[in-house]
Amino acid sequence: MESYTRTTATAEKLAEQDRVFQELTQRTRELISAVMTTNADAAEVTAVASEIAALTDRLGGPSDAGSLGVQITSTGAFRNHGNAVVGLRNPCAVPLHIQRLPEGRALSSFRLGAPHEGPPHLVHGGVSALILDQMLGAAAAAGGSPGMTSQLKISYVRPTPLGELTAEAWITEVAGYRTIVHGHIKDPEDRVTVEAEGLFILPRWAREALDRAHRPPSFE
Amino acid sequence: MESYTRTTATAEKLAEQDRVFQELTQRTRELISAVMTTNADAAEVTAVASEIAALTDRLGGPSDAGSLGVQITSTGAFRNHGNAVVGLRNPCAVPLHIQRLPEGRALSSFRLGAPHEGPPHLVHGGVSALILDQMLGAAAAAGGSPGMTSQLKISYVRPTPLGELTAEAWITEVAGYRTIVHGHIKDPEDRVTVEAEGLFILPRWAREALDRAHRPPSFE
């Protein structure tokens, strides 16, 4: 499997791409919010749906088979813009902006809304798991022990309300290619709502990709 | 907390709403796919972003604080259209269509694409957790033992490719308001890629809502 694609675009060209696609993606996130909360009448909703289809065509149509993949630039940087949690070009990504500390710690403040709901007015339990998987993986990578998730244990301590939240994760043990990471999500009153423990393992194909790229992948 | 809102709309009116919003949501899903895979040039991308913003305005603008919540109809049916995994009106939901068997089993076939990517060409580990949380909860509810997720253990057996997948979940133990459920995701070669075990507990507020509605909530 060729896991990564390489790009030879200049830093300036990539920065322009990022700016343009970040704008498109953010406008699409706002559309998603409007689709979920609109009070427009049926005729207007139908008319807007038709115009959305026309814009999709202008972009080349939907691509069922497509994925964005992960690019490696000429300087060895990873561009993971499709990622389901942090992807700059994924309208369904929160997106999470993660602060990475070299001792193997990851921090993030973020806002969850209508697309992330499970029980009424609460974050879907699986969305909390999704975010914690990303956070734990980021902490492992930040500490120089990256890996893919092998096991994930999630404990739901109290309901997580939609709105402003924080998350934190930290490495608790490293043994070769196996890294154990703990983490949690907190509500605006600084109460832990969800706890997580994860085991991350760097698979052989990723070790080989790492050797080829001469730097650890971040999986984001 | 008033967890559920009631609607007195007729069945015909609700069916029309569903049809109209399902269309809008599906067109938005296709737009998301196009946003993530387009090869359009920067000028066209910028122009489309601007037109998306105009459509968002026609729908009443984005609503940061809004959530769709869960409606109960006059016949006691739950309308959970915002749900992050199954929601009819959530463009980021797969959406999962779940077959529920009364012995406490849930089955689904679905397709994951660009918005669900983690490592290149693979399903994000957290997305697998999100889907399994929903599947396990659906199996618990199908068997008459609904609950909110209390604990979730996910084991990643092999990479899950983007594309066509199946998932299954089944109750393994019921003790009062506590239900244990197991489940997995399988790839197109019928190999298990991710396994899950979950503990679901029906909290007091949900038992009270259940009493008011005279039927078990499904949390979807």
Side-chain angles (χ1 to χ4, degrees):
Chain A
M1 175 172 64
E2 185 47 64
S3 299
Y4 301 96
T5 55
R6 288 171 189 278
T7 173
T8 55
T10 63
E12 290 70 24
K13 183 70 182 168
L14 292 175
E16 190 214 2
Q17 277 182 16
D18 288 359
R19 187 181 53 71
V20 167
F21 279 114
Q22 193 159 28
E23 171 81 7
L24 176 67
T25 305
Q26 186 53 32
R27 294 294 87 77
T28 307
R29 284 197 191 102
E30 290 160 4
L31 176 67
I32 291 166
S33 172
V35 162
M36 295 190 69
T37 56
T38 185
N39 292 314
D41 64 26
E44 180 72 346
V45 167
T46 299
V48 168
S50 169
E51 299 220 17
I52 290 172
L55 295 178
T56 299
D57 285 343
R58 280 178 60 181
L59 293 175
S63 169
D64 258 12
S67 86
L68 204 51
V70 177
Q71 288 184 319
I72 304 181
T73 68
S74 50
T75 62
F78 279 66
R79 288 163 56 80
N80 204 338
H81 291 178
N83 183 281
V85 182
V86 301
L88 176 145
R89 195 171 151 181
N90 187 336
C92 294
V94 177
L96 224 58
H97 299 288
I98 303 178
Q99 185 188 353
R100 293 164 174 76
L101 304 180
E103 71 265 30
R105 186 171 288 267
L107 307 167
S108 186
S109 298
F110 52 96
R111 181 179 187 82
L112 299 183
H116 313 109
E117 193 172 28
H121 315 304
L122 300 177
V123 176
H124 193 295
V127 170
S128 295
L130 169 62
I131 286 170
L132 284 165
D133 177 49
Q134 186 74 34
M135 288 293 296
L136 269 57
S145 308
M148 287 180 69
T149 320
S150 174
Q151 288 176 29
L152 195 62
K153 287 188 231 172
I154 311 281
S155 298
Y156 297 87
V157 180
R158 58 169 64 235
T160 306
L162 292 176
E164 300 290 343
L165 297 165
T166 59
E168 188 167 358
W170 57 93
I171 292 177
T172 48
E173 194 183 325
V174 177
Y177 288 110
R178 302 164 63 90
T179 308
I180 296 176
V181 189
H182 284 73
H184 58 228
I185 293 175
K186 283 184 171 179
D187 69 15
E189 281 75 52
D190 208 39
R191 296 175 300 198
V192 170
T193 63
V194 188
E195 293 174 333
E197 175 183 343
L199 168 64
F200 293 79
I201 299 180
L202 194 62
R204 185 181 306 137
W205 67 262
R207 283 179 236 164
E208 290 166 2
L210 174 157
D211 288 343
R212 284 199 303 274
H214 299 298
R215 50 155 286 182
S218 70
F219 297 108
E220 277 150 35
Chain B
M1 174 172 65
E2 186 48 65
S3 298
Y4 301 98
T5 56
R6 288 170 188 282
T7 173
T8 55
T10 62
E12 290 72 22
K13 183 69 184 168
L14 291 175
E16 190 214 3
Q17 277 183 18
D18 288 358
R19 186 180 53 71
V20 167
F21 279 113
Q22 195 159 27
E23 171 80 9
L24 177 67
T25 306
Q26 187 52 32
R27 293 295 87 76
T28 307
R29 283 195 193 103
E30 290 160 4
L31 176 67
I32 291 166
S33 171
V35 162
M36 296 189 68
T37 56
T38 184
N39 291 315
D41 64 26
E44 180 71 345
V45 167
T46 299
V48 168
S50 170
E51 299 220 17
I52 290 173
L55 295 178
T56 299
D57 285 344
R58 279 176 62 180
L59 293 175
S63 170
D64 256 13
S67 88
L68 205 52
V70 177
Q71 288 184 317
I72 304 180
T73 69
S74 50
T75 61
F78 279 65
R79 286 164 57 80
N80 204 337
H81 292 178
N83 182 283
V85 182
V86 300
L88 176 145
R89 195 171 152 182
N90 187 336
C92 293
V94 176
L96 224 59
H97 300 289
I98 304 179
Q99 184 188 357
R100 292 164 175 75
L101 304 179
E103 71 264 30
R105 188 171 286 266
L107 306 167
S108 187
S109 297
F110 52 96
R111 181 179 186 82
L112 298 184
H116 313 110
E117 191 173 27
H121 315 303
L122 300 177
V123 176
H124 193 294
V127 170
S128 295
L130 169 62
I131 286 169
L132 284 165
D133 177 49
Q134 187 74 32
M135 287 295 295
L136 269 58
S145 308
M148 286 179 71
T149 320
S150 173
Q151 287 177 28
L152 195 62
K153 286 187 232 175
I154 311 281
S155 297
Y156 297 87
V157 181
R158 59 168 66 234
T160 306
L162 292 175
E164 302 289 344
L165 298 165
T166 59
E168 188 167 0
W170 56 93
I171 293 178
T172 48
E173 194 182 327
V174 178
Y177 288 112
R178 299 164 64 89
T179 309
I180 296 176
V181 188
H182 284 73
H184 57 229
I185 293 174
K186 283 184 172 179
D187 69 14
E189 278 77 52
D190 208 39
R191 297 175 297 198
V192 170
T193 62
V194 189
E195 294 174 332
E197 175 184 342
L199 169 63
F200 292 80
I201 299 179
L202 194 62
R204 185 181 303 138
W205 67 262
R207 284 178 234 165
E208 290 166 1
L210 175 158
D211 289 343
R212 285 199 302 275
H214 300 299
R215 52 153 287 182
S218 69
F219 296 108
E220 276 149 36

